Amino acid sequence: MSRKTLAGKRIAITGGAHGVGRETALAFLAEGADIAIGDADAGAVRAIADQLTRIHGGTAVGLLLDVTDSVRFASFLACAERKLGGLDVLVNAADVMPAGPFLAESETETDRQIDVNLRAVITGTRLAAERFVRQGYGQIVNIGTAGGVPAALGVAVYSATKHGVVGLGAALDQEFAAHGVTVSTVAAGSIADAEAVADTVVACVARGLGGLITVPRARRFRPATFREALLRLLGRDPVPSGVR
């Protein structure tokens, strides 16, 4: 998108210091939206928000967030709403993905994936939907990246959590439609291109698309984007870093 199509939109993003969350924050800023990014990495999320504000000139707020704690998740949304002057969109992008054989995965690793990739998405969706139903509008975008539709070798539990996210979105997009609330699930066939996922998230919000949206295959060759230039200014590698 070349024009700032989302000026005035107020968007909260979880997992905003890394991977898809960070790319999504950059994509929304490029389209003129105001953003609040939450992440468990307090230093990184605040530093990124400060850098984006100085360099880009838009509104970017960095907030500490533990998505597995419902009380802290509620506080994050309340703070984002207060600092942005309202809230129109929540993007649940926080994600963990240990890879390896299923039988080698510990119960702790399994529980962590379920807590972050599925339970936290349910929590965030519920908290945001309560706000959006009251105000009569809003959009929730959940990231059902690689493994959300096809299963993937070596990430069985991760794939299971993403199937859960897809099912949640399919049911809730229908349930909340009458209240003016849209639920979108962005699903990619690969986790390698975080930028393509971010672009699809932005397109969902710009067009008000609900339901399951598949990320298009990335082009092999493409010109440098605004976000790549901005990442270089931030001293970061513009190559997509995947989901974290």
Side-chain angles (χ1 to χ4, degrees), residues 77-141:
L77 292 178
C79 189
E81 187 174 38
R82 184 170 63 253
K83 289 185 175 292
L84 299 180
L87 197 61
D88 304 300
V89 179
L90 169 66
V91 179
N92 282 308
D95 189 294
V96 293
M97 189 189 69
F102 175 68
L103 294 180
E105 184 174 289
S106 69
E107 288 188 17
T108 298
E109 289 174 318
T110 295
D111 289 344
R112 179 66 176 165
Q113 291 177 81
I114 294 170
D115 286 344
V116 174
N117 298 350
L118 182 56
R119 195 186 310 278
V121 171
I122 294 171
T123 297
T125 298
R126 178 181 289 114
L127 291 169
E130 289 171 348
R131 276 179 165 74
F132 295 160
V133 168
R134 284 197 302 268
Q135 68 190 23
Y137 63 89
Q139 185 167 359
I140 300 161
V141 183

Side-chain angles (χ1 to χ4, degrees), residues 23 195 199 219 222-232:
E23 286 294 333
E195 185 176 321
D199 286 342
R219 291 173 292 172
R222 54 179 171 73
T225 65
F226 168 84
R227 292 197 300 290
E228 288 171 341
L230 187 54
L231 282 169
R232 289 191 180 97

Side-chain angles (χ1 to χ4, degrees), residues 65-78 115 119-120 122-124 126-127 130-131:
L65 170 62
D66 178 357
V67 295
T68 66
D69 186 318
S70 61
V71 173
R72 293 181 181 178
F73 208 138
S75 295
F76 163 71
L77 292 178
D115 286 344
R119 195 186 310 278
I122 294 171
T123 297
R126 178 181 289 114
L127 291 169
E130 289 171 348
R131 276 179 165 74

Side-chain angles (χ1 to χ4, degrees), residues 138-209:
Q139 185 167 359
I140 300 161
V141 183
N142 296 327
I143 308 298
T145 52
V149 179
L153 183 64
V155 286
V157 174
Y158 179 84
S159 297
T161 63
K162 293 304 179 179
H163 276 286
V165 170
V166 170
L168 178 75
L172 293 184
D173 189 45
Q174 298 178 64
E175 182 175 335
F176 293 142
H179 301 282
V181 179
T182 301
V183 180
S184 313
T185 307
V186 172
S190 169
I191 62 170
D193 196 345
E195 185 176 321
V197 177
D199 286 342
T200 304
V201 171
V202 171
C204 285
V205 173
R207 300 170 189 169
L209 300 177

